[in-house]
Every structure is written in C-alpha cells, then in structure tokens.
Amino acid sequence: MGDTTGEFVGTGLYKSYAGAGADTPAAPVLADCSFHFEAGKLNVVMGTSGCGKSTLAYLLAGYQTPDRGTLLIDGEPVTGAGSDRLLVFQETALWPWMTVEENVLFGPVSRGQSRQSARPKANALLDRFGLADFKDKYPSQLSGGMMRRAELAQALVNNPKVMILDEPFRGLDVMTRELMQEYYLKLFEDTRLSTVFITAELEEALFLADRIYIMSDAPSRIVKIIDVDLPRPREISCTATRRYAELEQEALTALYEGRELEAL
Ligand SMILES: Nc1ncnc2c1ncn2[C@@H]1O[C@H](COP(=O)(O)OP(=O)(O)OP(=O)(O)O)[C@@H](O)[C@H]1O
Ligand SMILES: [Mg+2]
C-alpha cells in the first residue's frame, strides 16, 4: 500500500450488452468513454442510476472486457481479474458460514499463505476498522456498517494496488454511512491507496474525492471533471465551508446539464 501504482487510463471505451432476443439490438451502455484515474488519488465516479457505473467498475476490475477502446493499468492492458484490483460491491461479499476473521483470512490462505502468517495483518485491519471484538462472529451477527468494514478488511488484506468501490455504502442509514466515509477517508489519507470510488451521492463524492468524474446518461462517457481542492486531512466540518458550496454548485450544474428536470 501507499506506493503510487494503480493508475487507470481508458481511451474510447465502448460496451454494449446483447438484447433480450436474437433480433433485439445490443444497447450501448458506454460509448467513447475516456478517463485517466491517477495513482495515489481518490477518484470518484458519479452518475445517475443505470448510466453504466457498475459496467465501468466491471471493466476496471477485469470482470468484463470492452467491445472497443483500450484500458490500461499502469501502462499494461487489463486482462482478467486479479487481486491487485479489488472490487468492493454494494452487496456483501462475506461468506455467511465463515467467521469475520476466517473471511478476512480467506484471500491470503487461498493463495497459499499460512493462516499463522496471514493472521497479524488480518487482525491489524480488523482492529483498524473497530472489529477486534467481533472477529469470531458470523456475518449475520453484524450490523450493516460492520459488514461493510469487514469487507474493506477482506479486500485490503490482499495488498491491492487499487481499490474499486461500487457504491459500497448504499443502503446504510445516514449516520452509519457518514461513519463509513470517515473510515475510508482516514484509510486513504494514511495510505494514499489508489482508489476508484463509485457513488450516486454528491455529498459523499465531495467529502471523499480528489477528483470527481461525472458520467452522462447511457450511452455514457465522462462529461466533466471537478477537482475537489478541499484540504486534507478532511473533517466533516469541511462541508460547511464556502469552497464546498461552490464545488457543490459546479457539480450540480454538470449533473443536470442537458437533462430536463421532471415537473414536480
Ligand atoms: N448483464 C447485463 N445484460 C444486459 N444489460 C445489462 C447488464 N448489466 C447491465 N445492463 C444494463 O446496462 C445499463 C447500465 O447498467 P449498470 O449496472 O452499469 O448501471 P449503474 O449506473 O451501475 O446503475 P445503478 O445506479 O442502478 O447501480 C442498464 O440499462 C442495465 O439494465
Ligand atoms: Mg451499479
């Protein structure tokens, strides 16, 4: 962690899904989508529901391949999934029959590391995320926020060079969500772990991001980049500053540009 690898460069990416029937045309989701997600930065991608955010996450993680265009990580084409690029989903990735600690040990052990040698790092991460007293519990015994923290530990134990988070805190209540954002912010500010964080929430984007990449509606591409120059380390109080309000206005304008506001 902390070295500056994990840079993504996408150029002219296209992605379609086949239609429901043989005569249904493929619907383009991404069209001419280009970006440069710098290493060591907290890159946030924002867009409305259904615009193709998860599709982009799957391409970055190597779970799917683009129809056209190039996608590079640290200058090399992305070919398939790897533990160097970990995708944390909005749905839980914890195995229900394993304890929290076993879940976190799963990655290193499945790659041949002994439990004993993997345990110190796993436990340090559980400690960092306030789960030391819950490591022997099963996922069903955890709250939603604890599950999200266990998933972060489960991903980070593999020493990824980039974290891809696809709306990881969606569905949590407001207080828990804010707490989770603070956990991730602190982790990022301590390690500068390259991050692509996908969200549909502007407040979350502004609080976390170095840069916000705004996607258009499908067929989507990046239409606007906003540099979030709020100083780090950030506290929640930064959301009450004048600069925050200016950035919020800039982002709102970009998000609504070209869209008809529904009559209320
Ligand atoms: N496997 C698939 N097969 C066919 N269509 C798909 C598939 N996955 C996604 N789509 C379609 O592609 C479009 C983009 O989906 P995607 O999940 O990438 O959007 P999203 O921005 O992540 O949405 P959300 O905010 O709801 O998570 C949607 O219209 C969706 O129905
Ligand atoms: Mg999605």
Side-chain angles (χ1 to χ4, degrees), residues 44 46 202 205-206 209-214 224-226 228:
V44 171
M46 268 201 85
L202 181 54
L206 287 166
D210 286 309
R211 260 189 187 160
I212 303 176
Y213 297 78
I214 295 179
K224 170 104 179 159
I225 296 172
I226 295 175
V228 181

Side-chain angles (χ1 to χ4, degrees), residues 69-81:
T70 53
L71 178 58
L72 305 178
I73 177 158
D74 297 325
E76 301 286 334
V78 170
T79 50

Side-chain angles (χ1 to χ4, degrees), residues 157-178:
V157 77
N158 298 300
N159 267 328
K161 58 182 180 180
V162 53
M163 287 281 280
I164 304 158
L165 299 114
D166 186 7
E167 298 196 66
F169 309 145
R170 188 153 100 170
L172 297 174
D173 64 80
V174 175
M175 300 269 286
T176 308
R177 191 171 182 136
E178 195 179 295

Side-chain angles (χ1 to χ4, degrees), residues 50 53-55 58 90 166-167 170 198:
K53 301 182 298 298
S54 294
T55 300
Y58 298 150
Q90 59 204 32
D166 186 7
E167 298 196 66
R170 188 153 100 170
I198 294 171

Side-chain angles (χ1 to χ4, degrees), residues 23-163:
D23 50 356
T24 319
V29 177
L30 301 182
D32 198 17
C33 183
S34 300
F35 48 83
H36 178 182
F37 298 147
E38 281 177 46
K41 300 275 181 204
L42 209 162
N43 300 288
V44 171
V45 177
M46 268 201 85
T48 50
S49 186
C51 79
K53 301 182 298 298
S54 294
T55 300
L56 177 62
Y58 298 150
L59 296 183
L60 297 173
Y63 293 177
Q64 293 186 354
T65 48
D67 302 331
R68 269 202 280 156
T70 53
L71 178 58
L72 305 178
I73 177 158
D74 297 325
E76 301 286 334
V78 170
T79 50
S83 59
D84 59 334
R85 275 159 291 130
L86 282 167
L87 180 56
V88 176
F89 294 98
Q90 59 204 32
E91 290 87 22
T92 186
L94 301 173
W95 305 109
W97 59 87
M98 291 184 194
T99 66
V100 169
E101 187 189 49
E102 286 164 351
N103 265 289
V104 176
L105 288 172
F106 181 78
V109 168
S110 65
R111 283 196 309 279
Q113 205 178 329
S114 73
R115 285 171 166 274
Q116 213 171 356
S117 67
R119 204 167 261 135
K121 179 156 183 160
N123 282 320
L125 282 164
L126 287 171
D127 202 21
R128 156 160 221 145
F129 290 120
L131 292 171
D133 294 339
F134 295 86
K135 65 182 183 160
D136 297 323
K137 303 271 184 216
Y138 290 88
S140 62
Q141 296 172 296
L142 304 181
S143 70
M146 286 175 177
M147 280 195 218
R148 293 291 109 86
R149 282 181 266 148
E151 285 155 24
L152 287 175
Q154 191 188 40
L156 290 163
V157 77
N158 298 300
N159 267 328
K161 58 182 180 180
V162 53
M163 287 281 280

